[in-house]
Amino acid sequence: MSGKRISLIVNGESVKAEVLVNRLLSDFLRDDLALTGTKRGCETGVCGACSVLVDGDVVKSCLSLAAQVDGKTLTTVEGLGRIGDLHPLQESFMAHGGLQCGYCTPGFLLAAADLLSRNPDPQDAEIREALSGNLCRCTGYQGIVDAVRNVAESTHGN
Amino acid sequence: MTSAIVGEPLPQVSAQEKTLGRAIYSGDVKVAGMLHAKLLRSPYSHAVIRSIDTSAAEALPGVKAVVTGADVPERAWGVAHKQQHVLARGLVRFAGEEVAAVVAVSEAVAQEALDLIVVEYEEAGALLDPEGALDGGAPKVHAEGNLADEINISRGDVEAGFAGADIVHEATYRTHSQYPGYMEPMATVAATDGTGKLTVWTSTQSVFLARQRLAEALDRPVSTIRVIQATVGGGFGAKIVEERSSVIAAFLATVVDRPVRVGLSRLDDIQSGCFSVPTRIHLKMGMMRDGRIVAKDVQVLADCGAYAGLAPEVMLVTAMRSDNMQRIENVRTKAQLVYTHTMPRGAFRGFGGTQMSFALNSHMAVMADMLGMDAIELHRKNAIRTGDVSVHGWNIGSCGLPECLDQVQAAIGWDEKRARPKGTGVLRRGVGMAAVMHVSGNRTMGNWDGSTVVLKVNEDGRAVILTAESDMGQGANTMLSQICAQELGIPLSHVTVQAPDTDSAPYCLGSIASRVTVNAGHAMLKAARQAQGQILEAAAEKLGCDADELSIVDGVVQSNKNGNLFAPLPEICRYHIFRRGGEGILVRATHDPQTVMMDKDHYGNIAPAYSFAAQAVEVEVDTETGQVRVVDTYLSDDCGKAINPLAVHGQSNGAAVQSIGWTLYEHLQFEDGRVMNGNLADYTMPTAESVPTIQSGIVESNDPNGPLGAKGASETAILPGAPAIANAVFDAIGVRITDLPITPEKILAGLAAKEESQHA
Ligand code: FES
Ligand code: FES
């Protein structure tokens, strides 16, 4: 298997690496960069646990190759916020019961961030539609939808 | 008293690390020198293993070991039935059973080596249908036969009850197997060390039961094994003691004497089980004209697949638990659990309760119609009440079922919606409901249902809780932290819960039978009060006053009599150590409830408290496509006292959606015993888009045996969804579905049959 040199920005830091051309982005992030916040739930593009932002758009990293993100800017859940400076979505998921076991949470946070960047004031139906590429088995989605709506409302003041 | 912490809708104590992506699940654990393993599964449901040639796999560069059933301990493991081995030995009993494992430097190499293993099978006749399991000529799953368990219970005079009944109705119901569908597929890292100890990081609902099982399967003393619970990405019952991959991982680590990781793919996870127990339930009930149930006859046929696991316990719940929800006297039950050559089935949220809830609540709706009575009214009429002793000897210390019924009736707009004229268009709406009960705790695993909590209060006045009860996402650690913080008078953020670790935590049974809040919560309460007592004694000594006049408020010990007499908690905690004969604050408390094990007739008060719930749903049925959509749902949970309402609503909402999935969308498909839809694209669990706004209410019946009045929440909430939907479908289109799932095909067939009978 041939290798490829890639250079990219991950969570604000520049990364250079040599990867096999068939290296999955999810494996690259988790195993090579130790960014284990990106989860694997199906590895077939259905559950969304592996979602990351690539140049601001949500992407399922189990369906992408590391070689494809050469030159791009990535945000994983670890890049969303930090202790004392949480992303509003992180705060809101906590406050509204948007998570229980937390396994799906990184993926939902990034899918929600992607939604709000495209549509800052979504209706519930739009939230549900935008998040339908992610599965959660714990919350029944209600806390997640509440959390996303709340961020939208507090930034829009309505 | 510090400002209220118990009863507040607070975020889970683990929420921050989880939203930061920094919680470590077992699949994230990395140990120096760690190897990776992959498992080879049988493609056949029933076959003799003639030979396994591992030579090509072993020769592949990077492969460290190839292990087969010939290498594993002879000792069999299991719950009551000891019948499984680390890997299949000579015979496979279901398609998906593990026959070999490869340990290699990477998952990719291990996977490549799997393909090089040559297994010669000799197929034998497979028993796939539980209906034929007890026929004389059926292929045998185990040498002793296909009957795994049988339960017979008889109370009162059932025949006299039926003879005197005004109406009698009987029907057969079928429930299918549900995949727990936790988002974290099973993963385990196991490592041996230079002392000979085996350490296992895994996704489990009970570290001590996990350790017990590993000791059995690996045939070594429990103390040579240390199980540490990593963050658990959902369990729903399947991660109690029935999953098998953690056992294999642990064994492989002992073979290569190096750390080994086994992370299941989703397909692996589905193929290895453990799904819920499918049943056929025949129910016959007699009622008086006023709605009183006077006789009940129950026959259950349940399928545990190839190995019994917890399924006998599950079937016992199916067989008799819901009897205790109603004031009945005459009941007879015969339940049989059979083996088939299919994946093992067992524990699943609700633990056998969903199956009977479907039958009973469907039946209640039909009989309400026969009587011309409202279904909610019929439930109210028969509901057990606070202070009752049920037909099987359960002491009902609190029962909020009537209030749950009131809540759902009002919330869904029951009276108006039931009264509206039946739809005739393409899209037709209907409402339905169901009522249920569950245990909070269960004295079933030997004569102890206790819980022990160790509490340390550090010299800065902050607390650390050591327990081996398990938080699998449901919020156990938050519940314990809230009770601890409130009782100690310190902020919630000053409490941490150590991850369960069999080497440091006290013995606990773990998250099963909704027992953690009611039992561990109580132990926590006792431990916190004990620690508080020690702190106040030390403070009294230091301040020169009476301990009785002191309390801890917001981290300060102060006198209720003299406002100038106070000391910050850290000062007192340090004083507790730094005085002659002093020590750090370390207390331990155990709470074992006043319950009994069932006697041989299955009679006795097994739980300190019992929880109740009711749910009403509105559905819309598309009479052209057969699609059923839940458009509104309201679930009320009597959890005694909501220590954390946010968590209780979370449990109710999650359960409501999981039951919608079971009822409408999730359908495990087999061909020749092989799972045909072992992926999340084809095994379709509900998405945010496929469910409506989920609403839930809380009833606080304040159980006298619960810590601060609390009972269990969560499992009760999974029980009413399926029959509520089936009843709503009937209300909408007049078609009664008695076998789950409710598929568009069944709806269309039901409509066609109805049409035909109308024209006949
Ligand atoms: S792991 Fe990528 S979508 Fe499920
Ligand atoms: S919080 Fe557990 S899967 Fe979403």
Side-chain angles (χ1 to χ4, degrees):
Chain A
M1 192 68 59
S2 61
K4 180 178 173 176
R5 285 205 62 79
I6 57 171
S7 92
L8 63 158
I9 311 267
V10 181
N11 299 333
E13 282 178 31
S14 92
V15 172
K16 292 191 196 319
E18 170 99 25
V19 295
L20 292 176
V21 293
N22 68 346
R23 183 76 166 155
L24 289 178
L25 178 56
S26 51
D27 294 348
F28 172 69
L29 291 170
R30 287 179 52 85
D31 300 335
D32 298 353
L33 303 187
L35 294 171
T36 54
T38 301
K39 297 301 182 205
R40 288 183 283 231
C42 69
E43 296 179 89
T44 50
V46 182
C47 77
C50 64
S51 301
V52 298
L53 298 179
V54 176
D55 288 344
D57 294 331
V58 72
V59 160
K60 287 175 176 163
S61 63
C62 73
L63 293 183
S64 316
L65 298 173
Q68 292 171 316
V69 296
D70 186 23
K72 311 239 186 229
T73 298
L74 269 66
T75 305
T76 69
V77 67
E78 290 91 344
L80 220 47
R82 36 187 81 240
I83 294 176
D85 183 25
L86 295 177
H87 189 282
L89 279 165
Q90 288 170 318
E91 303 256 18
S92 192
F93 268 60
M94 289 172 61
H96 294 95
L99 70 149
Q100 289 172 26
C101 83
Y103 201 80
C104 69
T105 311
F108 271 99
L109 286 168
L110 295 163
D114 173 72
L115 165 69
L116 295 182
S117 71
R118 287 181 288 106
N119 178 358
D121 193 16
Q123 301 298 302
D124 272 16
E126 293 171 306
I127 297 173
R128 287 182 181 274
E129 199 216 315
L131 300 182
S132 66
N134 294 65
L135 291 172
C136 173
R137 193 59 151 175
C138 299
T139 63
Y141 302 104
Q142 196 54 48
I144 296 173
V145 173
D146 292 346
V148 176
R149 185 197 320 107
N150 234 270
V151 171
E153 281 173 2
S154 60
T155 38
H156 278 258
N158 54 358
Chain B
M1 261 297 182
T2 301
S3 48
I5 296 174
V6 167
E8 292 301 304
L10 299 168
Q12 286 202 22
V13 292
S14 61
Q16 178 171 286
E17 60 166 342
K18 287 171 176 173
T19 54
L20 287 167
R22 292 176 64 178
I24 300 299
Y25 299 78
S26 33
D28 303 332
V29 171
K30 211 171 192 174
V31 182
M34 187 170 83
L35 300 168
H36 298 264
K38 284 278 180 190
L39 313 178
L40 185 70
R41 297 177 184 282
S42 165
Y44 300 111
S45 300
H46 187 203
V48 175
I49 300 170
R50 282 283 164 232
S51 65
I52 305 184
D53 182 354
T54 58
S55 53
E58 277 160 12
L60 190 74
V63 169
K64 299 293 179 184
V66 182
V67 177
T68 72
D71 308 309
V72 305
E74 252 170 67
R75 185 173 169 189
W77 64 267
V79 181
H81 301 64
K82 310 291 179 194
Q83 50 194 187
Q84 300 198 59
H85 292 92
V86 177
L87 296 167
R89 283 163 53 96
L91 183 74
V92 290
R93 295 189 175 87
F94 70 98
E97 185 160 10
E98 301 84 355
V99 297
V102 175
V103 184
V105 293
S106 72
E107 279 196 321
V109 172
Q111 183 65 49
E112 201 181 329
L114 274 195
D115 299 338
L116 300 174
I117 300 175
V118 183
V119 186
E120 200 190 324
Y121 294 97
E122 185 183 315
E123 256 195 282
L127 169 68
L128 302 177
D129 184 357
E131 297 283 344
L134 301 178
D135 296 349
K140 275 201 170 47
V141 182
H142 293 280
E144 64 275 19
N146 293 335
L147 185 65
D149 194 27
E150 179 168 327
I151 296 165
N152 288 286
I153 304 174
S154 181
R155 311 238 191 267
D157 189 338
V158 176
E159 288 315 322
F162 280 121
D166 289 326
I167 60 163
V168 174
H169 173 61
E170 59 185 304
T172 301
Y173 301 90
R174 286 187 172 77
T175 66
H176 64 308
S177 218
Q178 186 175 21
Y179 177 49
Y182 38 70
M183 290 316 301
E184 175 209 26
M186 265 310 296
T188 302
V189 172
T192 50
D193 66 23
T195 70
K197 185 157 245 174
L198 171 66
T199 301
V200 180
W201 293 264
T202 192
S203 186
T204 179
Q205 296 177 222
S206 173
V207 286
F208 280 100
L209 297 184
R211 186 180 72 168
Q212 176 60 40
R213 185 169 60 129
L214 289 171
E216 201 171 275
L218 275 54
D219 206 7
R220 55 190 286 166
V222 289
S223 294
T224 65
I225 303 167
R226 177 181 179 195
V227 179
I228 300 172
Q229 188 211 55
T231 305
V232 175
F236 308 114
K239 296 178 181 174
I240 301 175
V241 286
E242 292 170 295
E243 59 75 32
R244 291 182 308 284
S245 63
S246 65
V247 176
I248 300 171
F251 177 69
L252 294 175
T254 66
V255 171
V256 293
D257 205 11
R258 277 182 61 180
V260 174
R261 176 184 188 277
V262 175
L264 296 190
S265 70
R266 185 58 71 174
L267 174 63
D268 267 321
D269 197 89
I270 291 178
Q271 284 180 328
S272 60
C274 181
F275 283 56
S276 68
V277 175
T279 61
R280 184 198 70 202
I281 298 171
H282 186 80
L283 187 57
K284 179 178 172 191
M285 271 167 49
M287 281 182 190
M288 302 312 288
R289 228 174 295 285
D290 65 1
R292 262 179 314 127
I293 302 167
V294 289
K296 184 174 178 184
D297 184 71
V298 180
Q299 288 166 45
V300 177
L301 178 70
D303 176 5
C304 64
Y307 299 106
L310 285 165
E313 302 286 325
V314 169
M315 184 179 70
L316 177 60
V317 172
T318 305
M320 54 90 79
R321 183 163 295 171
S322 62
D323 296 343
N324 300 283
M325 182 176 79
Q326 297 171 325
R327 285 176 159 168
I328 57 173
E329 286 165 8
N330 307 315
V331 57
R332 183 175 56 208
T333 300
K334 178 188 176 79
Q336 293 180 310
L337 181 71
V338 298
Y339 296 111
T340 56
H341 288 113
T342 62
M343 62 162 68
R345 325 294 170 90
F348 184 99
R349 190 182 205 172
F351 210 81
T354 47
Q355 292 87 329
M356 183 54 83
S357 165
F358 177 64
L360 177 65
N361 281 287
S362 298
H363 224 69
M364 292 289 286
V366 171
M367 295 186 82
D369 285 348
M370 289 167 75
L371 291 167
M373 194 185 257
D374 182 81
I376 294 183
E377 209 33 60
L378 186 60
H379 273 287
R380 234 183 235 120
K381 180 120 220 159
N382 288 289
I384 201 116
R385 303 291 164 128
T386 302
D388 284 359
V389 177
S390 76
V391 64
H392 300 307
W394 295 9
N395 301 339
I396 309 298
S398 67
C399 173
L401 182 53
E403 293 79 4
C404 290
L405 292 170
D406 292 345
Q407 274 194 4
V408 305
Q409 182 167 20
I412 208 87
W414 178 263
D415 297 346
E416 309 84 78
K417 285 177 180 164
R418 290 292 284 197
R420 69 192 167 191
K422 296 281 163 238
T424 51
V426 173
L427 301 178
R428 296 182 207 166
R429 288 196 171 198
V431 289
M433 57 76 59
V436 293
M437 87 174 292
H438 196 69
V439 293
S440 300
N442 188 351
R443 186 174 292 262
T444 177
M445 318 211 34
N447 195 12
W448 190 66
D449 192 21
S451 182
T452 304
V453 166
V454 172
L455 174 62
K456 297 205 296 176
V457 185
N458 289 331
E459 58 272 33
D460 60 359
R462 300 182 182 213
V464 179
I465 298 165
L466 274 73
T467 169
E469 306 297 8
S470 157
D471 197 318
M472 49 186 168
Q474 87 280 32
N477 289 352
T478 309
M479 175 274 299
L480 294 173
S481 301
Q482 284 179 266
I483 293 177
C484 179
Q486 170 138 326
E487 292 300 315
L488 273 187
I490 60 176
L492 187 63
S493 60
H494 286 188
V495 182
T496 52
V497 185
Q498 210 193 41
D501 176 340
T502 52
D503 268 10
S504 56
Y507 191 90
C508 292
L509 295 169
S511 288
I512 50 178
S514 296
R515 54 178 296 286
V516 174
T517 296
V518 74
N519 292 335
H522 234 130
M524 184 72 251
L525 201 58
K526 287 184 186 173
R529 287 179 180 167
Q530 226 169 287
Q532 188 201 42
Q534 277 182 225
I535 291 166
L536 297 184
E537 286 295 336
E541 188 179 303
K542 186 151 198 289
L543 297 172
C545 66
D546 232 16
D548 291 351
E549 70 182 73
L550 296 174
S551 56
I552 312 172
V553 179
D554 290 329
V556 178
V557 181
Q558 59 186 49
S559 164
N560 316 324
K561 288 190 180 153
N562 176 354
N564 293 324
L565 211 53
F566 64 89
L569 188 55
E571 200 178 307
I572 303 300
C573 293
R574 276 195 303 275
Y575 177 74
H576 197 277
I577 305 171
F578 296 106
R579 54 179 174 163
R580 193 165 291 279
E583 63 172 2
I585 299 168
L586 176 72
V587 302
R588 165 183 55 82
T590 295
H591 178 75
D592 188 23
Q594 302 279 316
T595 51
V596 299
M597 293 181 80
M598 283 182 186
D599 65 17
K600 62 179 189 345
D601 294 324
H602 306 285
Y603 190 90
N605 187 41
I606 57 168
Y610 300 93
S611 44
F612 297 85
Q615 185 176 4
V617 303
E618 181 169 15
V619 301
E620 184 173 86
V621 183
D622 184 325
T623 54
E624 281 176 355
T625 64
Q627 287 303 339
V628 176
R629 206 162 59 85
V630 176
V631 294
D632 198 4
T633 165
Y634 196 95
L635 188 149
S636 279
D637 188 295
D638 165 23
C639 59
K641 154 92 189 160
I643 290 178
N644 187 333
L646 188 66
V648 175
H649 285 298
Q651 290 305 311
S652 295
N653 296 344
V657 168
Q658 204 169 26
S659 69
I660 291 173
W662 184 48
T663 313
L664 297 177
Y665 304 127
E666 297 172 32
H667 195 184
L668 183 64
Q669 274 147 356
F670 290 104
E671 210 173 285
D672 292 335
R674 294 182 196 123
V675 178
M676 297 314 287
N677 55 342
N679 62 74
L680 298 184
D682 298 317
Y683 184 87
T684 46
M685 304 197 294
T687 63
E689 225 183 348
S690 60
V691 295
T693 298
I694 306 289
Q695 304 182 80
S696 50
I698 292 172
V699 169
E700 295 192 323
S701 58
N702 283 304
D703 195 276
N705 292 329
L708 308 170
K711 308 190 269 193
S714 160
E715 286 199 273
T716 329
I718 191 84
L719 306 176
I725 293 170
N727 290 339
V729 165
F730 183 83
D731 186 47
I733 58 169
V735 171
R736 168 73 43 200
I737 305 284
T738 52
D739 58 331
L740 292 175
I742 300 176
T743 58
E745 296 74 30
K746 290 179 196 170
I747 293 285
L748 294 177
L751 283 167
K754 198 176 139 210
E755 184 97 337
E756 204 158 292
S757 71
Q758 276 162 0
H759 288 118

